[in-house]
Amino acid sequence: MDAVKVGLLGLGTVGCGTVTVLARNGEEITRRAGRGIRIVQAAARDLDKPRICETTGIELTTDPFAVVNNPDIDIVVELIGGDGLARDLVMQAIDQGKHVVTANKALIAKHGNAIFAAAQEKGVMVAFEAAVAGGIPIIKAIREGLAGNRIEWLAGIINGTGNFILTEMRDKGRDFADVLKEAQELGYAEADPTFDVEGIDAAHKLTILASIAFGIPLQFEATYTEGISNITREDVAYAEELGYRIKHLGLTRRTDAGVELRVHPTLIPERRLIANVDGVMNAVLVMGDAVGPTLYYGAGAGAEPTASAVVADLVDVVRVLTSDPENRVPHLAFQADALSDLPILEMDQVETAYYLRMLAEDRPGVLAEVTRILGDAGISIEAIIQKEPRPGTDKVDIILLTHRVREASMNDAIAAIENLAAIHDKVVRIRMETLGAD
Ligand code: HSE
């Protein structure tokens, strides 16, 4: 049988990684797919730019629409990123009856509902394994491997740049800004690093994971997103003293009232495996009712790790080319007409535990005033530390860990604490999760 013909949009890091992996492992990939997979045409913005891959035998063009409209091409691989041009190209490819493989998390998180509806109508597949956690086959694991479970919650370290920064802050006592600069120099960060450090990149990925875990439409706009730029090395050190690590976590949980969908810095017990995922690595912890916790770990970015997911999607698409659309794995894991309308919870409805740090005057009764406010709000304290006065001042850091409470109650309590004359500056609040079986 002839090889399946693929058109590539984008010859950057991941595009070139895909060319290289397909060429190097072509024989094994053909044995798996049942047919050869050949990139016949590729679009790149600048054809004169030096490439890190061998493009001999691939027709190159600067016009991506020439690729999506090429009648010889069966599958379009979209690796240009962003959600403007990429969206037009993907919709056009679907309209042309072509299957699509994409690594584009923003595209799927923001426009996936419309894209999948169009794909359903045309009977084509849109595969997006590479959009979440790079080379970790987390979409396949949740959508297929865990299909017998009711997923209760999942939590992921799904941005390598953020994890690299927090790891360096903890290991080397470095400041946030200093490590971010290095992450940019090393090429880990997105073109706009605020996507990494403010949690937008993680929110794109979490939106996708929540949909396939719970069978709900993609709801990126409803995701609560808080970045790591305000985390100080003092907080990292205090958390460690208390037996916790601070990770930038994407967390989604099904509750009776609705779905929690949130990205924020989070204290997690250092004994958890996921707390020990360091550097640029990614990990996703999934709690299924039948299997219990399962953890998926690996490279969340990079040329070949991401290409690994792109090529796996190509193999999947090639395998089902001849099956009728009704018998394929649904895009969002659940049948398109069986998605649930569970609401996404507002952040102040979420219940979690907290780390609080405040700068207090070192005089009698201050701690009592703080604990009275918490006690009156029904907030139970789990641990408390008061540090020595800061050098040359009469002010001390007080660090508190609380039991679980609704965010709205915590917001009120924090406002009352900040109003105390003996408390200076804002109270630092970092959410805390045990990520245990309960
Ligand atoms: N900037 C992303 C990260 C790349 O740091 O994880 C992969 O999406």
Side-chain angles (χ1 to χ4, degrees), residues 103 105 130-134 158-163 187-191 195-196 201 205 280 282 300-302 306:
K105 53 237 163 170
V132 182
I158 42 183
N159 181 270
T161 303
N163 202 44
Y188 298 151
E190 296 288 306
F195 270 49
D196 295 300
D201 177 74
K205 296 165 180 167
V280 286
N282 281 198
T306 312

Side-chain angles (χ1 to χ4, degrees), residues 252-329:
T252 183
R253 176 184 279 122
R254 188 205 307 250
T255 74
D256 291 341
V259 173
E260 296 177 8
L261 193 56
R262 47 191 172 108
V263 174
H264 51 69
T266 311
L267 266 76
I268 44 183
E270 67 188 1
R271 64 181 182 281
R272 297 269 177 256
L273 272 178
I274 194 169
N276 294 281
V277 170
D278 286 334
V280 286
M281 300 307 273
N282 281 198
V284 183
L285 176 59
V286 185
M287 181 63 73
D289 69 336
V291 70
T294 52
L295 180 65
Y296 308 84
Y297 168 85
E304 293 210 8
T306 312
S308 162
V310 170
V311 174
D313 272 351
L314 279 170
V315 171
D316 262 0
V317 173
V318 170
R319 282 176 177 150
V320 300
L321 274 180
T322 48
S323 73
D324 69 73
E326 284 71 41
N327 294 326
R328 294 177 187 154
V329 179

Side-chain angles (χ1 to χ4, degrees), residues 15 62 70 147 155 195 203 208-209 236 283 287 296 350 358-359 377 389 429:
T62 52
N70 182 340
F195 270 49
I208 299 171
L209 291 176
V236 172
M287 181 63 73
Y296 308 84
V350 163
M358 58 205 74
L359 187 59
R429 163 251 306 273

Side-chain angles (χ1 to χ4, degrees), residues 371-386:
T371 54
R372 185 184 43 75
I373 289 172
L374 293 172
D376 287 351
I379 300 171
S380 174
I381 296 167
E382 184 182 299
I384 189 162
I385 309 181
Q386 181 178 317

